[in-house]
Amino acid sequence: MMSEALVTLGEEIKAALPGAVTNALVAFDELTVEAETGAIVQVLRTLYDDPRFRFVNFTDIAGADYPGREQRFEVVYHLLSPRHNRRVRVKVRTDEATPVPSVIEVFPAANWYEREAYDFYGILFSGHPDLRRILT
């Protein structure tokens, strides 16, 4: 039952963001949305603002490295909608040289997480106000 609701939510997100969201899939009762890297700000803004979604809680950003891929990095955003009691994972892909647009304008808490992804993986974020190493 939960999976059916998540499949429906994924289809609604894809319909709301044609061209920006490339895929929505459910595995282990979790919804993952794949987005175009250049559209990440638009995607997260829609997930935040649209009353059908209201993903207003930014949980974190995680980086993943797949050295065998041409676009070796994934930047993974985890969001929560307290109003609808749902979670979503949004993924974008990039390489060592192509920056991902910063999402600080939508979620100011992304500041530290973007810096962490830069510090640990070397993932670049365009438009970040202070992209510098924090730990290493």
Side-chain angles (χ1 to χ4, degrees):
M1 308 250 197
M2 171 78 109
S3 292
E4 292 173 19
L6 292 175
V7 169
T8 301
L9 175 60
E11 293 302 318
E12 289 175 1
I13 291 170
K14 282 174 54 178
L17 293 153
V21 170
T22 58
N23 196 15
L25 54 110
V26 176
F28 305 105
D29 283 331
E30 295 179 354
L31 174 61
T32 300
V33 173
E34 296 174 356
E36 291 293 332
T37 303
I40 190 60
V41 174
Q42 173 195 6
V43 170
L44 294 190
R45 169 81 58 209
T46 299
L47 292 175
Y48 183 93
D49 287 338
D50 192 311
R52 294 174 295 173
F53 311 130
R54 295 299 291 153
F55 286 98
V56 299
N57 182 291
F58 172 85
T59 306
D60 68 4
I61 295 174
D65 186 3
Y66 299 93
R69 293 182 186 171
E70 188 172 323
Q71 289 186 304
R72 68 183 284 180
F73 297 119
E74 284 186 353
V75 181
V76 185
Y77 304 82
H78 296 103
L79 308 174
L80 168 68
S81 173
R83 172 169 292 180
H84 300 294
N85 193 26
R86 300 187 287 211
R87 295 179 183 273
V88 67
R89 173 184 302 115
V90 181
K91 291 183 178 184
V92 298
R93 291 184 180 186
T94 192
D95 57 28
E96 296 94 339
T98 308
V100 175
S102 175
V103 299
I104 292 173
E105 70 182 66
V106 181
F107 292 108
N111 185 323
W112 192 89
Y113 294 100
E114 288 178 356
R115 287 180 61 193
E116 182 181 52
Y118 167 68
D119 193 12
F120 289 162
Y121 293 97
I123 299 170
L124 302 172
F125 292 90
S126 62
H128 191 285
D130 188 23
L131 192 61
R132 62 187 161 100
R133 298 193 180 279
I134 54 176
L135 298 171
T136 62

